[in-house]
Amino acid sequence: DADVTQTPRNRITKTGKRIMLECSQTKGHDRMYWYRQDPGLGLRLIYYSFDVKDINKGEISDGYSVSRQAQAKFSLSLESAIPNQTALYFCATSGSQGYGYTFGSGTRLTVV
Amino acid sequence: GENVEQHPSTLSVQEGDSAVIKCTYSDSASNYFPWYKQELGKGPQLIIDIRSNVGEKKDQRIAVTLNKTAKHFSLHITETQPEDSAVYFCAARKNNAGNMLTFGGGTRLMVKP
């Protein structure tokens, strides 16, 4: 089984719908992250969590929310999806010193 | 905060040639520099990293060099093969501010057979 599992792998949704992307990990890491990748290649940080009771905004948090349900689970929600949120979304985990970032396989989200 | 710039954004080489990707960082407090490879349909995977107390590190056909004075580091791939085709990301980590990575914009490497 993968260390970091994201579901779904692909999703098409309509403008205005609420959607949740889920991430679970077996690395035992405290830290979890959500990134967005657009066709221009770069990874942009949406939200991150250093432990179950800690949630922090990243550089592009507007229009997104997260929930850290347990050490191993970190979900990303789009409350009202819009077409410019069409992108590839990655969940990642790391140890407390910032080493060993491990990424999931990504969720390709299309908002029509 | 930290800013990491990566060049080039795309790189095409002939199989067997070498490829070099360069990154610069802005914060002299950064002390850890990993490189990630993202194959089509997959998430980025760590391929090599270097810490600030080392100037060079090698692992088979890949190597990373670090110049702390100039605040830049590079990934070198020798004897490139088609399976090296991917997107490569550099990153830098400061030993404070939560020890988080800042990523470069990525380089799409294409190795032509």
Side-chain angles (χ1 to χ4, degrees):
Chain A
D1 287 344
D3 292 325
V4 181
T5 301
Q6 291 185 234
T7 56
R9 288 297 311 274
N10 292 283
R11 180 74 181 265
I12 300 173
T13 191
K14 293 183 178 180
T15 299
K17 292 291 188 183
R18 183 179 189 277
I19 182 169
M20 179 182 289
L21 310 183
E22 299 190 4
C23 177
S24 63
Q25 55 117 344
T26 59
K27 297 286 291 185
H29 285 160
D30 287 326
R31 296 186 170 197
M32 298 188 75
Y33 311 84
W34 276 104
Y35 287 90
R36 169 176 170 162
Q37 184 178 32
D38 291 283
L41 303 177
L43 294 165
R44 292 187 290 169
L45 183 63
I46 307 172
Y47 270 96
Y48 61 100
S49 168
F50 284 176
D51 63 43
V52 175
K53 296 182 181 180
D54 178 75
I55 299 290
N56 303 281
K57 292 182 178 181
E59 58 182 297
I60 55 162
S61 59
D62 287 350
Y64 302 95
S65 63
V66 291
S67 173
R68 184 79 184 268
Q69 301 95 326
Q71 188 212 30
K73 295 184 182 295
F74 192 37
S75 60
L76 175 73
S77 293
L78 287 67
E79 298 301 325
S80 179
I82 56 177
N84 76 359
Q85 292 177 313
T86 293
L88 192 53
Y89 290 85
F90 287 104
C91 174
T93 74
S94 80
S96 61
Q97 294 302 308
Y99 300 122
Y101 273 52
T102 301
F103 286 83
S105 296
T107 293
R108 184 170 298 279
L109 177 66
T110 303
V111 183
V112 297
Chain B
E2 177 65 279
N3 183 46
V4 178
E5 294 191 357
Q6 184 171 346
H7 299 281
S9 57
T10 59
L11 178 61
S12 181
V13 300
Q14 206 66 38
E15 182 177 359
D17 289 348
S18 295
V20 180
I21 302 170
K22 299 181 179 181
C23 288
T24 60
Y25 60 99
S26 60
D27 195 324
S28 57
S30 291
N31 61 1
Y32 172 65
F33 307 93
W35 285 87
Y36 287 81
K37 176 183 181 182
Q38 183 183 17
E39 297 177 331
L40 195 62
K42 298 183 179 180
Q45 286 195 301
L46 178 69
I47 56 171
I48 194 168
D49 56 14
I50 191 168
R51 303 196 184 195
S52 58
N53 59 345
V54 175
E56 183 177 4
K57 184 177 178 181
K58 287 184 179 180
D59 183 3
Q60 299 183 342
R61 293 186 299 107
I62 61 173
V64 56
T65 58
L66 171 65
N67 183 326
K68 287 191 296 182
T69 302
K71 290 189 283 187
H72 67 70
F73 56 111
S74 299
L75 177 71
H76 304 254
I77 306 174
T78 59
E79 300 174 21
T80 54
Q81 300 169 3
E83 53 263 40
D84 294 328
S85 296
V87 177
Y88 291 82
F89 291 99
C90 64
R93 189 213 77 159
K94 283 198 304 186
N95 194 28
N96 54 24
N99 295 328
M100 290 176 60
L101 293 181
T102 300
F103 288 89
T107 296
R108 184 179 298 280
L109 173 65
M110 293 169 284
V111 180
K112 294 181 286 186

